[in-house]
Amino acid sequence: MKKWIWIISLLIILIIGYVIASFMVGVKGHTKEEEKGIALAKEKGGLESVSEFYKFNGKKAYYVAIGKDSKGVKQVVWIPKKGDDPAILKRKYSEGVTRSEILEKANSLNPAKIISAKIGMIEFKGDKNREIWEVVFKDDKGKLNYYYYDFFTGEMLRNYENI
């Protein structure tokens, strides 16, 4: 009987070790990708410092970095994840609506919990690319809702509800 307890204990320890190792490998990959995106934002996007960084996955994947350039101006840089996509795009943060303005719009929809509000890039109605704010929240039924707002005007472009 003792032998079985030791064998089961050993198997449990091995399984826990495997799960922890898998998690660490995943985190390491995420960190490397973030470091790569931040380095590109500084090197090719002209940022001196980065205060926020997102990976945005729409039809195409982008790294999005928010930070300050050498003159201290807050900028947003969209970096295509794949090299064959269009060049890096850079805009002054002040050209767009702020996070707080977007969250005000989202709060008017009475979300139970806002999960994220981040800047991204999507293809929209024949436009090649459009800079957007993506707001993800849960409603009172626990369903996910995705709302996309124009980065410059704050106009709602598209939404997916009750996912």
Side-chain angles (χ1 to χ4, degrees):
M1 186 68 165
K2 275 187 170 182
K3 189 176 187 179
W4 283 107
I5 292 173
W6 281 106
I7 291 172
I8 291 171
S9 298
L10 182 62
L11 285 174
I12 290 172
I13 290 170
L14 288 173
I15 290 170
I16 290 171
Y18 177 77
V19 169
I20 290 171
S22 297
F23 177 76
M24 296 303 287
V25 167
V27 168
K28 185 177 180 182
H30 175 76
T31 303
K32 279 188 176 184
E33 195 171 13
E34 186 172 328
E35 288 170 359
K36 176 185 173 187
I38 290 171
L40 285 170
K42 288 180 176 180
E43 178 187 331
K44 295 187 178 184
L47 296 182
E48 292 289 318
S49 64
V50 175
S51 57
E52 296 177 56
F53 177 81
Y54 315 112
K55 288 186 287 180
F56 183 84
N57 292 304
K59 210 171 197 179
K60 295 179 181 175
Y62 288 86
Y63 298 125
V64 180
I66 301 171
K68 292 187 177 180
D69 62 15
S70 60
K71 296 177 182 174
V73 178
K74 193 171 184 180
Q75 303 278 352
V76 181
V77 179
W78 289 265
I79 305 162
K81 197 170 172 182
K82 291 188 177 179
D84 58 345
D85 285 338
I88 291 172
L89 181 63
K90 182 177 173 181
R91 299 277 191 253
K92 289 181 183 175
Y93 187 82
S94 61
E95 290 179 27
V97 295
T98 65
R99 175 186 304 280
S100 58
E101 290 171 313
I102 287 300
L103 289 175
E104 257 182 61
K105 289 177 179 283
N107 281 322
S108 71
L109 300 167
N110 299 317
K113 179 184 178 187
I114 293 180
I115 296 170
S116 68
K118 62 184 180 180
I119 296 172
M121 178 86 67
I122 60 170
E123 288 185 18
F124 183 74
K125 291 186 179 179
D127 289 345
K128 190 164 185 162
N129 291 309
R130 193 143 179 195
E131 300 89 341
I132 54 99
W133 276 100
E134 176 192 65
V135 180
V136 182
F137 64 87
K138 285 191 176 185
D139 60 20
D140 56 354
K141 296 174 187 166
K143 301 280 186 170
L144 277 177
N145 295 271
Y146 289 77
Y147 277 71
Y148 298 92
Y149 298 92
D150 184 87
F151 173 75
F152 300 104
T153 65
E155 168 194 2
M156 188 178 59
L157 301 173
R158 164 187 312 165
N159 64 304
Y160 300 101
E161 296 179 319
N162 302 319
I163 298 173

